Amino acid sequence: MQRVLVQPVAGEEAVQQTYTDLVGVLIDPAFRLACAMLHDEQAAEDAVQEAAIIAWRKFKKVDDLGRVRAWFLSIVANECRNARRRGWRSRVRLGLPSHLSEASNDERIVRHADLRHALLQLAHMDRLVVVLYYYFDMPLDEIASVARISRSAARNRLYRAVRRLRPDIALEEALK
């Protein structure tokens, strides 16, 4: 059997380099977003990896390279939603039992924090908007793009989510 060497298509290396340059720097923010959405590091890693694969497949269709951040984070958000829908991770626990695992003191504090518990009670889209606004300091226009909703819908979701998180908070102060 004769071996056939595959030569890269002209321009494919440039596309790969552009993808690496633009999406490579977004892996850390994408992981933070996935952790905030899923509250599980392994599930977050899986979601970001799947999102990176999907992004690579669809990268040639991106028209505006200036909006790659919103585009990629929307893929990550969708993968997080899919992971939560599958739900098997919440029913099947692998590895050490939680009472035998060596969690740091900081991790225990974060795991039991009231805010984290309150965020888990929010619907996926509401949690996404809150995380993007408060954790990533994204403007509402970019949040709307990631969530694939209008700017006013993003603002309304943020308003309602903050209201659910802390009913007595001054909403005007929270949305500034």
Side-chain angles (χ1 to χ4, degrees), residues 17-166:
Q17 187 61 43
T18 304
Y19 174 82
T20 303
D21 292 344
L22 294 174
V23 176
V25 298
L26 297 174
I27 297 298
D28 185 51
F31 178 70
R32 290 193 328 252
L33 173 64
C35 282
M37 298 301 294
L38 299 172
H39 299 286
D40 180 355
E41 283 189 31
Q42 290 178 341
E45 287 176 2
D46 291 343
V48 171
Q49 184 175 7
E50 288 297 318
I53 291 168
I54 291 168
W56 170 248
R57 288 184 190 141
K58 296 182 177 185
F59 188 70
K60 291 180 183 177
K61 297 177 184 177
V62 175
D63 294 331
D64 185 3
L65 295 180
R67 298 183 50 96
V68 169
R69 178 180 178 204
W71 172 75
F72 183 65
L73 292 179
S74 69
I75 295 172
V76 172
N78 284 337
E79 283 304 306
C80 291
R81 180 177 28 248
N82 291 340
R84 293 203 43 113
R85 281 183 185 158
R86 286 188 290 268
W88 65 270
R89 285 182 177 88
S90 64
R91 291 187 293 274
V92 178
R93 297 285 182 204
L94 300 175
L96 292 174
S98 61
H99 67 279
L100 295 178
S101 67
E102 296 184 27
S104 70
N105 199 23
D106 293 339
E107 186 177 83
R108 285 189 194 108
I109 291 168
V110 170
R111 186 180 301 148
H112 299 292
D114 289 337
L115 179 60
R116 184 176 179 153
H117 179 61
L119 280 171
L120 282 172
Q121 302 307 313
L122 293 176
H124 172 80
M125 190 62 77
D126 294 340
R127 188 175 335 119
L128 174 64
V129 171
V130 168
V131 167
L132 292 175
Y133 189 80
Y134 288 106
Y135 288 33
F136 287 88
D137 292 325
M138 276 188 171
L140 284 172
D141 292 332
E142 201 168 342
I143 292 171
S145 180
V146 169
R148 296 183 180 151
I149 56 178
S150 69
R151 184 183 193 285
S152 61
R155 182 172 176 80
N156 289 338
R157 280 193 177 276
L158 182 62
Y159 177 88
R160 286 192 309 266
V162 169
R163 187 84 155 163
R164 278 189 218 111
L165 285 173
R166 190 166 175 199

